[in-house]
Amino acid sequence: MAHPALAVDNYLPYMPDVVRCETSLRELNVMWRLIESTARMVCPTEAQAILPTIAATRSGFDRLESELVRSLVSEKIDNVMSAIATRAGYIIDIVVRNLYERTADVGFLAIDRVLCEFVAGQVRDVDAVRARLRSYRRKYTVYDEIFLLDTEGNVLVQTDPAYAVEGTQDPLLAQALQTDGYVQVFRPTDLRPGLGPSLMYAQRMLHPSTHEPVGVLCLVFGFETEMAGIFRSHRDPRGRSIMLLLDGDGTVLASADEHWIPRGVRVPTNPDDNPRLLLFAGREYLVATRYAEGYQGYRGPEGWQGQVMIPIDLAFQRDDSSVLDALDPMIAAGLLSHARNFSPPLYEVIRATESIRRVVWNGQVVTAGRNMDRQRLKTILDQISETGARSNTLFSHSVRDLYETVLSSSLQQIGLVAHLAVDLLDRNLYERADDCRWWALTPEFRTILAQDSPDPGAFETIRGILRYIHSLYTVYSRLFVYDRQGRIVAQSHAGGDDSASASSVDAETLQAVLALDDEQRYQVSPFRVDPLSDGQATYTYHAAIRHPDDERRVVGGIGIVFNARREFLAMLQGAIGGRRNAQAHLTDRQGRLIATTHPELPIGEPLPAAMPWLGLPNGETVSRIVEHEGRYAVLGASASAGYREFKTTDGYRDDVIAIVIEPLGDVREGLAGATREHDDWWTQASARGGHEYATFYLGGDLLAIDAACVREAVPADQMTSAPATGHPALVGLIPPTANTAINHFIWVYDLARLLNPAAPARSTEGRQIIVLERGAQVCGILVDELHAVPEFEASEIIDAPFGGSGRRLIDRLIRARGGQVLIAVLDNDRLFTAMRG
């Protein structure tokens, strides 16, 4: 979009391609003014037919000189801002999703019976408690340290003796003791002296009997390691921009490059996405700032925001590789026909190119076959032709540069979306593997299942614990505990109905759980519908519950059913963000759908669009322009790489492929401009004295008609719809139009349907109408693109060897280039007869 207040001059020094375009526009504007003035003075009568078009072209250049450059600058800025804003959003959203899990962890661990009894002074085995906390850390590797504090701030136990402390005077202690829930702080603390700011989650612990506060549990999140992983995974591969995490004052909490922008400094922010230059440390930047969208109602530490900054001198550098060179020419041409929708400035450049081509073409046909003195007009026509060639070259380069920018930006961003989708999946499921293993260590579960004949009331105790867990961890549809025989003894269901939909787990899963050799191991079902998954395909995570006095004896297991349908959909919708037309999918290595934003695609069925990418190596992301379901689209594919030890070193493998598809427009067949072998002719008119033919494109074919029959060409957007007449080829009419020779309504017919009545109707966008005349009759034919007005000798014309259907309108062939190219010639009389119907 164009920005009314955009200071174009501030950006032009960093856009050499736009500067070249601006300079050329200014020079060409002067040339067209000179041509118009010369034509009016030297040959006003002979040039009368083309003077309106020249005037319109000159007027167009006046507008283009001011508007096109602004649009080009605006488009380039928008592409950069969109790219850095996407990354800025990812930074904060990934952080918030991760920290949401921490708020649940601290709430659950703070009620752990063993830990509460220790803090309350009911047990004194420090080594056993430390071992329990270290077991927790081995599963939840996101924590650097865990503390148990008494109400005076004394450290009762911690997991890392390398940084041992005796106590704390941090206000966090009093705040946690007075709060019913978790407390979250990020700051330096005497619990971690000399280690800089720490992100801590604290919650008070209650006496098992009196329920009075007896201490505080404090989890220290591995903030630096986590941020380094996010920056590494989602960085700009070319290193032109820097990713930052900021607090509410704009102070840097984490930086992707400490040598560039260190922690602790304050940087300018841009939360409203204004495309303005912001100064930091003597360098100007484009900046995008994002607050968290929030996850399950949690928005992270107050004021935190993600930010990406790119220096203005690096922002518009182009990659060495060319998207267009790698793109199929037919797809490139088809996409270009949708420029009005996905890049208005690109569309304006294309329109300008068509206008120049039409001026030259009309200048060449205006005197063809007419008995008039052409000498005085010849100089004007030659100058039009030369200036038209320069204009065409300029606009062709502008189109390509801008087209390359738009497509490169789209491909880059769709790849980012796909990568984020699988990254969010792996990060989320990592937590599920942690949860099932830790909850399996719940003392009540172990004690009750170890009994030969537990009291029925004991199972109510298990059910109560499951319900409490479920209130904290809302990503599950069902939690259940089963004994060594696989019988389900208690469960909690998200819908509130805790009655079992199945009385036991399947034999295969039970055997796998019983065979787990230590508490670090877990079992995951394949993605499928199970009796306990409420008819929805999902993953169910299992861990073994072990005898309290013998770790080698498995007395049962816990199963946690992930709410895949809801959670995966939320992940995909979060990844695609504001891309309203995009669809995101997750598949397995066989291409079967695991999740999708498409409401009509069935889970479990193959996704055809995923098939070419099923062999994508883990951690790799690709983006391509494709044809998908009859539309051009940008497609991003990314293969999961795991997170921390999950799917990397823990023995579990389950690759997932993310496919993101964003349509750009309907596929258009037979487009002119896809491949052009004859473009060098359009500025060349033979001086051999042969007969002149007006040539043009229809689909991929080059056709011709006697130039003496042609009045002029006008853009198809001047056509209005026509009343139904029964003629299958009638598509509209041209009203009397300023700056043309048309002074009454003219019927327009689709030439493709005149040649072949079964030809499908196509959009008129970007097409041309050639106005023909035969005596007093005047009409228009709709074609794709104008070509040239060359001359051919009689020896180069042969009779057409075919007939029938639409071919009856073609009576001769031109053997151009020594017979290398055949051009079909339309018979004007037959054409008018066909149009009369």
Side-chain angles (χ1 to χ4, degrees), residues 144-163:
D144 284 344
E145 178 66 288
I146 305 175
F147 294 97
L148 295 183
L149 310 172
D150 66 16
T151 55
E152 301 300 319
N154 298 306
V155 175
L156 302 178
V157 66
Q158 67 182 102
T159 58
D160 190 353
Y163 297 96

Side-chain angles (χ1 to χ4, degrees), residues 238-249:
R238 297 187 64 195
R240 295 177 302 178
S241 60
I242 183 168
M243 306 175 78
L244 306 168
L245 181 69
L246 312 178
D247 66 12
D249 295 325

Side-chain angles (χ1 to χ4, degrees), residues 786-799:
L786 305 176
H787 178 243
V789 189
E791 298 181 12
F792 296 101
E793 302 285 353
S795 60
E796 296 177 286
I797 313 298
I798 61 174
D799 291 333

Side-chain angles (χ1 to χ4, degrees), residues 546-568:
R546 301 178 184 276
H547 196 285
D549 301 322
D550 185 355
E551 291 289 334
R552 294 171 298 178
R553 288 178 57 190
V554 176
V555 295
I558 183 171
I560 57 178
V561 184
F562 182 60
N563 193 336
R565 183 175 184 177
R566 183 188 69 197
E567 297 302 319
F568 283 163

Side-chain angles (χ1 to χ4, degrees), residues 440 449 480-484 510 513 542-545 554-559:
L449 291 181
F480 58 93
V481 169
Y482 49 94
D483 63 18
R484 185 174 175 81
L510 179 62
V513 172
H542 295 261
I545 298 174
V554 176
V555 295
I558 183 171

Side-chain angles (χ1 to χ4, degrees), residues 52 82 119 185 252-253 327 456 505 608 681:
S82 179
V119 175
V185 298
V252 177
L253 303 177
L327 196 58
V505 299
W681 293 359

